Amino acid sequence: MDKFTVLDGIVAPLDKPNVDTDAIIPKQFLKSIRRSGFGPNLFDAWRYLDHGEPGQDCEPRPLNPGFVLNQERYSGASILLARENFGCGSSREHAPWALLDYGFKAIIAPSFADIFFNNCFKNGILPIVLESRVVSDLFERVVAEPGYHLMIDLPAQQVITPDRQVYPFEVDAFRKECLVDGLDDIDLTLRHVESIRAYEARRRQEAPWLFQ
Amino acid sequence: MSALTLYDKLWQSHVVRSEKDGTALLYIDRHLVHEVTSPQAFEGLRLAGRKPWRLDANLAVADHNVPTTNRSDGIADPVSRLQIETLDKNCAEFGITEFRMNDVRQGIVHVIGPEQGATLPGMTVVCGDSHTSTHGAFAALAFGIGTSEVEHVLATQCLLTKKSKSMRVNVEGKLHPGVSAKDIALAVIGRIGTAGGTGFALEFAGQAIRTLSMEGRMTLCNMAIEAGARAGMIGVDETTIAYLQNRPFSPRGALLDQAVENWRTLKSDVDARFDQEVSFDASQIRPHVSWGTSPEMVVTIDDCVPDPALEKDLVRRQAMENALVYMGLEANQPVSSIRIDKVFIGSCTNSRIEDLRVAAAVVKGRHVAKNIKQAMVVPGSGLVKRQAETEGLDRIFADAGFEWREPGCSMCLAMNADRLEPGERCASTSNRNFEGRQGAGGRTHLVSPQMAAAAAIAGHFTDLDVFQGNL
Ligand code: SF4
């Protein structure tokens, strides 16, 4: 996993509450047995005017000019600004894979769905919760100023605007460490093999029916 | 010792170790695997040269992509076929028990786990699927995980996670006949919203919950995720224990006695404190129908489609307006005037034997309305299907004009060939009405099995009481 420290990037605004994982990456693309290549199908049903299928070349497909990510001013965006309950719905990790493959490394919203939130960290994407009021302000500014960008300083836990306004954010110490150091969760856990074995031995005594 | 909630008990008994910030390494007793969210996890294991930590904790089945029509010709869609073959290959290579497509035990992962006794009280149960909350009906801590976590559980039998807050949903009083667990679920989501349970583990309690069958409890816990909660659970009682007798994976003999003694402790202590409580009066719950594109957009069968003009919050109003456009509905239109094109009885929410029995009771001796293009029943598992056939339910459905299908997820998410065409409107017993969920442009109304059955016969949504009185 890539390390995440400081990110300075263009912000794209997605002004809808309850954006679900089916919208982020429609189900037909879940048939892939790979982990990459989902970027062109991110928000597929909103982004294109036709219906997309897996394996299709997306270059010649008709774009929906009304969809925000199709606007030239947001090209190259690496920060997604979103509304309440972003990422609700299924547990599909294809959603963060698609966001990452497209180029998003951070998402700012007033709230996220739990599983999606968790899946982001596992893939090096930083989901940031800011107050609704602040998020609404940011929406106004992004729309008003083409090329609007934000700086996200994860070690300092701050979102910094171009005019040097600073918004602190919360992040679990452990998750932060994993992101900053680009650590693999499995390697981390396997440092505790002895603890897992000890737990199993004790549990086997207490609840043998769980080990049939 | 202070009083504990069921969630506290389940959590405490599974913590292997904790980090300073409260992140815990949680031991996982049961890992259910399906074809959509596992291929990249197995690939990860292979690349790292790792093996599953504990084979007997895993159980795999293909459900999302499987065809529900005649399976003797295999799977026509090459992409679906590859995904299922990949699961078969991975399970064979790593030595994981799998119910293959033509095994009678095959079915939707959340139906077969409990049916086999693979879900037991006191377990931690995970699966790369958000509706894993279903298994909480057995006083298990059950929640959905992503593919990275699937790999993590395979490799370490543990997960890194933090404890949620606790919320008790009290449902007191008695449900009226014709009102089901599905209606409780929709009523709860309608009240607390799709994000109301975010960050919480829910416990459903109260008289109305105690009187639900295990099937009804699974329906309710299944939909905890639609309220934003990763886990929903219900304490153990005699109903739970009775259900677990003589299941293939359940303990037997002396081991069962020992287990039952432990299981009886798996409920919240009388004076346990929850971070939040909400209460419902079951006698006030009416049959629900969703009208929009989020499971919180629900009304009761006696209501009209709501009017966005009355919504003060601008973001919500916009979402309501968009939903009405997508759904092709008018504000203030009576719900009973909504005519439907298709009916789907199935999914991990409502495809168990009890669901099929109540739906069959409604359609028995009747026929689907002329405007219904397709009505189908997709049993949750091969064993549910067989049981239903033994009871003659398949004949009742077929005589009424329903298709009787092979088990799988089917039109719940339309990854196989079963889907809505653009603009088609469906009365569905599934759990999600998101845009395009049942097929691009398709319009989903979430309802209980009895309401779906009545809608099939009437051709539009209808109050069961009125409906039964009329015929
Ligand atoms: S039936 Fe539907 S909700 Fe349940 S596991 Fe299958 S696709 Fe998911």
Side-chain angles (χ1 to χ4, degrees):
Chain A
M1 199 166 78
D2 291 345
K3 295 183 182 189
F4 190 119
T5 47
V6 178
L7 168 70
D8 190 333
I10 303 237
V11 183
L14 184 62
D15 199 356
K16 269 189 185 210
N18 299 315
V19 170
D20 62 72
T21 52
D22 286 85
I24 298 172
I25 182 84
K27 64 197 149 250
Q28 62 270 34
F29 304 106
L30 272 50
K31 293 182 188 180
S32 167
I33 56 170
R34 295 168 49 223
R35 209 181 184 109
S36 56
F38 295 101
N41 301 109
L42 175 70
F43 299 118
D44 197 273
W46 291 342
R47 202 158 135 202
Y48 301 97
L49 293 170
D50 63 349
H51 176 79
E53 281 298 330
Q56 186 184 5
D57 177 11
C58 291
E59 275 302 318
R61 295 178 58 196
L63 292 173
N64 170 8
F67 184 59
V68 64
L69 293 187
N70 290 332
Q71 295 173 25
E72 186 52 38
R73 57 185 287 196
Y74 300 120
S75 85
S78 56
I79 300 172
L80 186 67
L81 185 64
R83 294 285 186 185
E84 287 78 18
N85 200 25
F86 186 82
C88 61
S90 84
S91 66
R92 65 187 69 162
E93 205 156 311
H94 312 69
W97 293 339
L99 287 158
L100 193 67
D101 201 51
Y102 182 88
F104 288 116
K105 297 200 167 55
I107 308 168
I108 300 175
S111 60
F112 293 88
D114 283 341
I115 303 180
F116 175 81
F117 188 73
N118 200 32
N119 282 342
C120 282
F121 285 100
K122 309 281 177 200
N123 291 282
I125 299 180
L126 176 62
I128 298 175
V129 176
L130 293 180
E131 265 179 69
S132 280
R133 191 178 41 82
V134 173
V135 170
S136 290
D137 281 355
L138 290 176
F139 265 102
E140 278 178 29
R141 280 188 263 171
V142 172
V143 174
E145 296 172 36
Y148 191 82
H149 65 108
L150 287 170
M151 182 142 96
I152 293 170
D153 182 339
L154 175 57
Q157 297 183 214
Q158 291 174 336
V159 175
I160 304 155
T161 67
D163 54 0
R164 297 266 126 211
Q165 251 180 304
V166 174
Y167 299 110
F169 62 86
E170 296 287 324
V171 54
D172 285 345
F174 181 73
R175 282 172 161 158
K176 175 175 164 180
E177 189 190 322
C178 291
L179 273 189
V180 171
D181 297 334
L183 295 176
D184 172 327
D185 279 2
I186 297 180
D187 285 333
L188 279 177
T189 298
L190 288 175
R191 289 184 197 164
H192 305 296
V193 164
E194 290 314 314
S195 308
I196 304 172
R197 293 212 195 287
Y199 172 91
E200 275 182 332
R202 181 166 44 92
R203 193 73 177 152
R204 206 182 275 275
Q205 290 287 316
E206 291 167 4
W209 59 89
L210 294 175
F211 294 84
Q212 297 186 67
Chain B
M1 206 171 66
S2 63
L4 299 175
T5 64
L6 169 59
Y7 178 52
D8 293 331
K9 294 179 187 181
L10 294 170
W11 179 268
Q12 284 178 7
S13 58
H14 288 87
V15 173
V16 173
R17 64 186 304 280
S18 298
E19 300 289 334
K20 280 195 291 295
D21 73 347
T23 304
L25 194 61
L26 204 66
Y27 190 81
I28 302 303
D29 297 309
R30 176 70 67 206
H31 181 213
L32 302 167
V33 180
H34 67 86
E35 79 275 22
V36 181
T37 52
S38 67
Q40 297 87 352
F42 283 114
E43 185 62 20
L45 277 192
R46 208 175 280 122
L47 289 174
R50 293 180 177 126
K51 290 215 157 20
W53 178 278
R54 207 186 118 196
L55 284 175
D56 66 351
N58 298 283
L59 178 61
V61 71
D63 54 2
H64 285 63
N65 280 281
V66 295
T68 58
T69 45
N70 186 352
R71 287 178 177 169
S72 49
D73 303 337
I75 306 168
D77 175 358
V79 197
S80 289
R81 190 170 60 230
L82 176 64
Q83 204 168 50
I84 289 169
E85 285 171 357
T86 304
L87 180 68
D88 293 349
K89 210 171 78 248
N90 283 329
C91 290
E93 176 185 333
F94 288 102
I96 288 173
T97 304
E98 183 198 4
F99 297 162
R100 292 205 175 189
M101 193 170 78
N102 291 321
D103 188 319
V104 69
R105 298 169 298 176
Q106 181 268 343
I108 305 171
V109 64
H110 309 308
V111 174
I112 68 155
E115 182 174 80
Q116 292 293 322
T119 301
L120 296 174
M123 274 185 167
T124 41
V125 180
V126 297
C127 172
D129 188 280
S130 59
H131 291 97
T132 309
S133 58
T134 311
H135 308 262
F138 291 84
L141 175 55
F143 53 91
I145 56 177
T147 298
S148 297
E149 290 177 311
V150 169
E151 184 180 340
H152 194 280
V153 173
L154 283 168
T156 71
Q157 209 55 45
C158 292
L159 271 181
L160 283 162
T161 183
K162 266 187 136 175
K163 200 173 175 193
S164 307
K165 289 175 287 181
S166 60
M167 186 191 301
R168 180 157 60 189
V169 180
N170 302 294
V171 192
E172 296 297 346
K174 267 184 77 177
L175 284 178
H176 285 290
V179 182
S180 71
K182 181 67 162 282
D183 300 302
I184 301 180
L186 293 173
V188 171
I189 299 161
R191 164 109 66 93
I192 73 172
T194 48
T198 304
F200 287 91
L202 306 188
E203 178 175 340
F204 297 99
Q207 186 200 352
I209 307 300
R210 296 265 73 88
T211 49
L212 287 178
S213 63
M214 284 319 295
E215 284 85 353
R217 295 177 191 188
M218 285 188 257
T219 300
L220 187 55
C221 290
N222 173 274
M223 292 200 68
I225 184 68
E226 306 316 325
R230 278 181 90 173
M233 62 194 80
I234 295 173
V236 166
D237 62 8
E238 294 312 311
T239 307
T240 326
I241 292 167
Y243 182 96
L244 290 167
Q245 307 293 320
N246 300 318
R247 305 260 162 196
F249 288 64
S250 285
R252 281 159 204 271
L255 203 52
L256 177 64
D257 297 340
Q258 193 188 351
V260 167
E261 196 182 322
N262 172 282
W263 294 346
R264 289 195 206 279
T265 66
L266 295 172
K267 49 187 153 199
S268 291
D269 295 336
V270 180
D271 37 5
R273 299 279 296 262
F274 290 79
D275 295 306
Q276 201 167 318
E277 300 222 29
V278 285
S279 294
F280 291 80
D281 176 355
S283 67
Q284 299 296 315
I285 297 178
R286 297 277 300 138
H288 277 60
V289 180
S290 75
W291 60 269
T293 51
S294 159
E296 69 186 22
M297 293 173 164
V298 287
V299 287
T300 67
I301 183 65
D302 335 271
D303 277 333
C304 294
V305 173
D307 188 345
L310 302 177
E311 173 60 55
K312 291 191 188 68
D313 181 284
L314 276 182
V315 178
R316 289 178 71 96
R317 186 192 301 169
Q318 186 65 52
M320 288 171 76
E321 284 167 355
N322 292 343
L324 287 183
V325 172
Y326 182 85
M327 294 297 291
L329 295 173
E330 300 288 333
N332 302 313
Q333 157 181 12
V335 169
S336 57
S337 72
I338 302 175
R339 293 175 73 77
I340 54 175
D341 306 303
K342 288 189 173 172
V343 178
F344 171 63
I345 297 178
S347 89
C348 58
T349 313
N350 285 123
S351 64
R352 298 179 182 83
I353 189 67
E354 180 185 274
D355 301 312
L356 305 191
R357 285 182 191 139
V358 294
V362 173
V363 305
K364 186 170 188 179
R366 298 171 179 156
H367 202 275
V368 299
K370 286 205 184 60
N371 58 307
I372 303 293
K373 295 186 207 162
Q374 185 181 35
M376 59 180 183
V377 183
V378 185
S381 72
L383 291 171
V384 168
K385 179 169 186 257
R386 192 159 78 183
Q387 175 65 26
E389 287 170 354
T390 310
E391 297 177 21
L393 306 185
D394 57 325
R395 293 283 0 130
I396 295 175
F397 283 117
D399 291 346
F402 281 81
E403 297 170 21
W404 180 247
R405 297 291 192 99
E406 297 295 329
C409 293
S410 179
M411 211 160 72
C412 172
L413 94 164
M415 264 184 91
N416 69 354
D418 310 336
R419 63 188 60 184
L420 299 179
E421 296 303 320
E424 278 181 347
R425 187 181 297 288
C426 181
S428 177
T429 66
S430 56
N431 43 52
R432 286 191 176 139
N433 50 354
F434 300 150
E435 287 183 18
R437 170 80 177 180
Q438 295 192 288
R443 294 160 171 167
T444 302
H445 294 271
L446 305 175
V447 286
S448 68
Q450 43 274 69
M451 286 288 285
I457 304 297
H460 55 86
F461 292 110
T462 176
D463 185 343
L464 272 172
D465 290 343
V466 176
F467 172 77
Q468 272 158 343
N470 277 348
L471 288 149

